[in-house]
């Protein structure tokens, strides 16, 4: 008998604000399962009669400082998470021998237990489980938490068969979005290639990778890179060597989504929104929760028939009935699609890495330099701040990015060199460095790769040669419900309105250039612009002035998108 078995009643003592001690008593029941360090039991709160899962760890087993630190990190991350698809953390306490965690109970065990009985499951069931996993991931990433151990055994099922993500033992909380983690961790079959590679650190995309492995495993019955030995598995992951067995028929949508997720370069993996909007989730309706019979046997054909109807809606996620199925091309293709600027002011709003906002991009109209007008301006841009930042190309072919950590990068059109601007040790002091693409600091590798990626996709074929040193970049940018506003390093404020009209303010020449939505260009000295008789321009100029008054001083939330 282990020491765990000696304990029948567990007492949690809480000190109330008036100093009184409140005691909650739990009666320990049957063993639910064992983990690396823990045993998990059913436990009933003697007073409320509510059943919980009681995770008990012997202090001796987590005696090493590092283990204990890790365990405390798990508690710290988990206890502040509140989401319907995450196992609820109800309490933590200790006595002289044990530490205890009280968790929401998940009587239907984990997807690992289910897969042992079922071997593999239908696409309908996979849609239902994975939509809930995505919802938990969206929540985690929006709270800057990377789970880092998404796998069958960590996905629990509640009594009513709701998905509950659990086990935050490997989770990491990022201090800021661009932060990279370096610890090698995860479960061999599910581990992302960038973790194994270890060169550039890793971030939220590792959960997307594991999600792809999970999807494959649910539909095929075994993980895509599985072999008998870990080293070979790792080699396969690094080489992206997996295939779909001939004897299992998958729909093209399922196969396509797996293929889009399991790509080696984390930058090219779809976002959570991309996945949710993939035809795999939109092709038919699917249930919110599955019947408990499916824990042991496949859903009946009568049950399945209810959901056969092809539709753009997914009952499982309560989509808006006007939602149309939108096919997700891979990220590259997405970036090619043009879309209007729309949306709320987002300054300081986007920090979640979860891809919840639509990617936006536009090509600025065919402006040609006018008297007093800018010689260089932003020609095309794409708002990818849900993951990395804003990418753009200038009329002279220079490309650049404003990263979510407010660092900036710009490169010449010929791709020979780039400049990187980052925060200096004193507030307001930026450091500008110039490098060639052949030789630059290793820590810039990810940013350089992103720059090259976006430069290619925002290709500017129609260059007006105009060289300038240092290279131009965007100092600040802002999206409002009416416009996207760029403050350029070359003393220009450029505004692109939702109706596709544009305004450029040049501080050097004190001129305003207005391009109406029909493409008519007006160049006016700033001093006359408000009462030039062009009401459309005056209205937009007033709006722009109001916005830039909040944008230019180096204070305040509206200053930059984060
Ligand atoms: N909330 C819960 N409800 C029901 N059963 C649970 C719950 N939490 C854990 N279990 C059971 O206990 C087992 C071990 O739990 P858990 O995986 O959290 O422990 P661990 O020590 O963190 O494990 P690991 O070694 O995988 O990190 C699970 O596989 C499951 O069977």
């Amino acid at each position: 008998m282990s020491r765990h078995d000696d304990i029948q009643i567990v007492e949690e003592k809480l000190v109330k604000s008036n100093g009184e001690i409140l005691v909650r008593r739990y009666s320990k029941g049957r063993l639910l399962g064992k983990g690396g360090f823990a045993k998990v039991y059913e436990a009933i709160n003697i007073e409320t009669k509510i059943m919980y899962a009681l995770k008990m760890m012997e202090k001796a087993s987590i005696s090493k400082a590092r283990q204990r630190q890790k365990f405390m990190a798990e508690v710290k991350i988990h206890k502040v998470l509140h989401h319907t698809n995450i196992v609820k953390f109800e309490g933590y306490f200790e006595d002289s021998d044990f530490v205890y965690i009280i968790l929401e109970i998940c009587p239907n065990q984990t997807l690992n237990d289910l897969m042992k009985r079922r071997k593999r499951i239908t696409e309908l069931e996979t849609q239902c489980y994975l939509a809930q996993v995505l919802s938990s991931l969206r929540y985690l990433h929006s709270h800057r938490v990377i789970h880092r151990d998404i796998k069958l055994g960590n996905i629990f099922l509640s009594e009513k068969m709701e998905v509950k993500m659990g086990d935050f033992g490997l989770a990491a909380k990022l201090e800021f979005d661009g932060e990279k983690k370096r610890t090698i961790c995860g479960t061999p079959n599910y581990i992302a290639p960038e973790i194994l590679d270890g060169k550039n650190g890793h971030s939220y995309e590792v959960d997307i990778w594991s999600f792809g492995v999970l999807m494959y495993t649910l539909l095929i019955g075994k993980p895509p890179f599985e072999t008998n030995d870990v080293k070979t598995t790792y080699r396969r992951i690094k080489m992206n060597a997996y295939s779909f067995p001939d004897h299992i028929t998958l729909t093209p949508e399922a196969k396509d989504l797996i293929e889009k997720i399991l790509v080696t370069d984390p930058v090219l993996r779809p976002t959570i929104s991309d996945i949710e909007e993939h035809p795999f989730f939109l092709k038919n309706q699917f249930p919110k929760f599955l019947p408990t019979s499916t824990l042991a046997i496949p859903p009946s054909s009568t049950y399945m028939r209810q959901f056969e109807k092809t539709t753009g809606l997914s009952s499982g996620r309560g989509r808006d009935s006007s939602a149309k199925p939108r096919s997700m091309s891979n990220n590259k293709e997405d970036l090619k699609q043009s879309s209007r600027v729309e949306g709320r002011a987002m300054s300081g709003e986007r920090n979640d890495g979860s891809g919840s906002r639509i990617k936006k991009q536009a090509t600025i109209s065919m402006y040609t330099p006018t008297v007093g007008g800018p010689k260089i301006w932003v020609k095309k841009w794409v708002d990818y701040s849900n993951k990395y930042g804003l990418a753009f190309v200038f009329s002279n072919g220079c490309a650049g990015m404003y990263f979510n950590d407010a660092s900036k990068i710009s490169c010449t059109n010929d791709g020979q060199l780039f400049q990187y601007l980052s925060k200096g040790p004193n507030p307001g002091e930026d450091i500008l460095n110039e490098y060639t693409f052949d030789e630059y600091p290793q820590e810039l590798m990810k940013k350089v790769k992103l720059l090259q990626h976006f430069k290619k996709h925002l290709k500017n074929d129609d260059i007006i040669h105009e060289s300038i040193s240092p290279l131009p970049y965007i100092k600040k940018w802002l999206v409002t419900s009416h416009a996207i506003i760029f403050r350029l390093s070359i003393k220009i404020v450029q505004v692109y309105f939702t109706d596709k009209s544009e305004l450029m303010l040049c501080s050097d020449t004190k001129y305003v250039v207005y391009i109406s939505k029909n493409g008519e260009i007006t160049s006016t000295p700033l001093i006359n612009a408000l009462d030039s008789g062009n009401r459309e321009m005056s209205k937009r100029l007033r709006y722009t002035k109001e916005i830039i008054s909040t944008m230019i001083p180096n204070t305040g939330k509206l200053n930059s998108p984060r």
Side-chain angles (χ1 to χ4, degrees):
M1 230 167 62
S2 83
R3 284 157 58 86
H4 293 77
D5 302 318
D6 300 339
I7 296 172
Q8 287 317 316
I9 303 284
V10 173
E11 286 189 347
E12 177 183 12
K13 295 197 179 82
L14 300 153
V15 184
K16 297 212 296 201
S17 52
N18 61 7
E20 246 178 66
I21 292 189
L22 175 79
V23 182
R24 284 192 195 134
R25 286 190 182 80
Y26 298 91
S27 167
K28 189 167 132 268
R30 74 183 171 102
L31 181 72
L32 290 168
K34 283 185 201 169
F37 298 109
K39 281 191 175 177
V40 182
Y41 297 88
E42 269 181 4
I44 192 162
N45 179 316
I46 294 173
E47 203 186 340
T48 63
K49 305 281 183 265
I50 297 175
M51 185 77 90
Y52 294 99
L54 171 74
K55 192 163 169 172
M56 285 176 71
M57 264 150 296
E58 218 167 340
K59 280 186 168 171
S61 71
I62 49 167
S63 58
K64 289 196 188 121
R66 213 181 125 59
Q67 282 168 346
R68 192 164 166 78
Q69 205 183 15
K70 254 190 99 223
F71 170 73
M72 290 317 293
E74 174 183 353
V75 169
K76 194 172 159 203
I77 292 176
H78 194 174
K79 76 175 184 193
V80 293
L81 300 174
H82 304 281
H83 187 270
T84 184
N85 298 119
I86 293 176
V87 174
K88 192 156 165 33
F89 186 100
E90 302 279 355
Y92 162 78
F93 50 97
E94 49 186 283
D95 60 23
S96 53
D97 296 327
F98 288 93
V99 288
Y100 305 90
I101 297 178
I102 306 283
L103 297 167
E104 168 183 17
I105 191 158
C106 301
N108 286 318
Q109 301 175 295
T110 69
L111 289 186
N112 194 35
D113 304 290
L114 177 139
M115 291 296 283
K116 278 185 197 151
R117 291 183 293 262
R118 293 280 311 277
K119 215 166 143 30
R120 58 175 190 265
I121 62 173
T122 61
E123 287 198 13
L124 186 79
E125 293 166 281
T126 306
Q127 287 170 320
C128 171
Y129 290 132
L130 290 189
Q132 297 175 72
V133 171
L134 279 178
S135 164
S136 75
L137 282 183
R138 180 184 285 286
Y139 173 86
L140 289 175
H141 292 186
S142 72
H143 288 76
R144 295 214 181 100
V145 173
I146 322 176
H147 187 285
R148 303 201 296 188
D149 203 14
I150 305 290
K151 60 176 180 180
L152 294 174
N154 286 337
I155 298 167
F156 292 85
L157 295 172
S158 75
E159 183 156 30
K160 62 171 188 179
M161 296 289 281
E162 191 172 16
V163 161
K164 304 278 176 180
M165 183 69 73
D167 196 350
F168 289 83
L170 296 180
K173 169 104 182 163
L174 298 188
E175 294 298 318
F176 56 94
D177 268 346
E179 187 186 349
K180 294 285 171 217
K181 286 287 164 192
R182 299 201 171 263
T183 320
I184 305 240
C185 62
T187 299
N189 273 318
Y190 290 78
I191 210 161
E194 64 270 26
I195 299 182
L196 297 176
D197 173 56
K199 282 194 203 124
N200 298 316
H202 61 265
S203 188
Y204 303 109
E205 300 86 0
V206 300
D207 284 346
I208 302 288
W209 173 275
S210 308
F211 176 91
V213 174
L214 182 72
M215 178 170 175
Y216 181 104
T217 310
L218 290 170
L219 293 170
I220 302 294
K222 68 177 191 61
F225 304 100
E226 187 173 76
T227 64
N228 290 333
D229 113 277
V230 177
K231 275 195 184 151
T232 316
T233 301
Y234 287 166
R235 219 173 14 251
R236 282 202 183 177
I237 294 172
K238 285 198 240 176
M239 291 163 51
N240 201 251
Y242 75 98
S243 57
F244 293 97
D246 292 338
H247 66 282
I248 296 169
T249 317
L250 289 189
T251 61
E253 291 89 356
K255 216 168 147 189
D256 183 71
L257 181 55
I258 293 168
E259 283 170 345
K260 286 203 161 87
I261 297 175
L262 294 182
V263 293
T264 308
D265 187 346
V267 170
L268 300 179
R269 270 171 230 155
T271 63
I272 292 174
S273 299
D274 290 334
I275 298 173
E276 281 177 342
E277 289 167 22
H278 188 276
F280 174 73
F281 286 106
L282 298 180
K283 66 191 165 84
N284 57 273
Q285 297 198 5
F286 54 85
K288 196 158 183 211
F289 307 127
L290 292 155
T292 45
S293 59
T294 58
L295 288 167
I297 51 166
S300 69
S301 49
T302 324
Y303 181 84
M304 299 275 281
R305 260 200 299 278
Q306 296 174 66
F307 301 101
E308 259 166 23
K309 193 165 53 112
T310 308
T311 169
L313 311 176
S314 131
S315 62
R317 285 175 298 128
R319 287 193 153 261
D320 176 339
S321 60
S322 64
K324 298 260 179 348
R326 183 177 83 90
S327 68
M328 182 194 78
S329 42
N330 61 29
N331 280 6
K332 291 183 205 157
E333 290 304 312
D334 260 1
L335 295 174
K336 284 187 198 144
Q337 292 166 11
S338 192
S339 67
R340 288 191 320 130
V341 184
E342 56 193 9
R344 303 154 292 145
M346 57 159 204
S347 295
E349 217 178 63
R350 276 296 307 179
N351 61 359
D352 67 10
S354 65
S356 63
R357 202 156 45 76
I358 346 155
K359 289 183 280 290
K360 304 181 208 72
Q361 77 167 26
T363 304
I364 309 282
S365 73
M366 286 296 144
Y367 163 76
T368 44
T370 58
V371 177
K375 302 275 179 292
I376 296 173
W377 64 97
V378 173
K379 193 77 187 295
K380 289 183 195 176
W381 52 271
V382 55
D383 173 0
Y384 220 72
S385 58
N386 61 338
K387 282 185 121 179
Y388 309 112
L390 180 87
F392 43 87
V393 282
F394 286 101
S395 50
N396 68 348
C398 286
M401 284 194 76
Y402 183 117
F403 292 107
N404 290 341
D405 62 3
S407 63
K408 291 120 191 153
I409 199 165
S410 295
C411 70
T412 51
N413 177 47
D414 58 14
Q416 297 272 325
L417 56 90
F418 70 89
Q419 289 172 354
Y420 180 69
L421 196 80
S422 55
K423 290 231 171 315
N426 301 317
E429 231 180 57
D430 285 338
I431 301 172
L432 181 75
N433 281 308
E434 187 170 294
Y435 305 101
T436 65
F437 284 92
D438 296 331
E439 205 174 338
Y440 58 84
Q442 211 211 347
E443 66 266 21
L444 293 185
M445 194 195 264
K446 173 80 180 267
K447 287 179 173 171
V448 170
K449 226 169 151 188
L450 283 166
L451 174 69
Q452 289 173 320
H453 171 78
F454 284 111
K455 183 173 190 286
K456 205 165 134 209
H457 286 287
L458 290 172
K459 198 164 180 290
N460 183 6
D461 297 321
D462 180 26
I463 291 164
I464 298 188
H465 290 285
E466 184 75 37
S467 47
I468 173 174
S469 178
L471 298 175
Y473 60 92
I474 288 183
K475 282 184 103 156
K476 302 261 181 231
W477 67 288
L478 180 72
V479 176
T480 71
S481 51
H482 298 299
I484 184 161
I485 299 128
F486 306 123
R487 188 181 159 218
L488 312 187
S489 59
I490 43 176
K491 295 197 173 165
I492 286 159
V493 170
Q494 188 176 340
V495 193
Y496 182 81
F497 292 91
T498 46
D499 67 354
K500 297 188 176 159
S501 61
E502 291 156 45
L503 197 74
M504 302 191 207
L505 293 179
C506 312
S507 336
D508 275 347
T509 59
K510 306 228 169 354
Y511 259 72
V512 182
V513 174
Y514 177 63
I515 306 147
S516 75
K517 57 182 179 228
N518 304 324
E520 292 144 16
I521 304 173
T522 322
S523 181
T524 320
L526 190 54
I527 196 156
N528 306 330
L530 279 177
D531 21 58
S532 67
N534 184 338
R535 286 183 51 209
E536 263 186 40
M537 175 174 79
S538 306
K539 200 170 135 196
R540 283 163 182 74
L541 182 59
R542 247 187 303 267
Y543 179 77
T544 304
K545 283 187 150 185
E546 212 173 287
I547 293 287
I548 56 180
S549 65
T550 61
M551 200 177 167
I552 289 179
N554 278 327
T555 55
K557 272 198 149 188
L558 278 174
N559 261 337
S560 78
R562 65 202 39 241

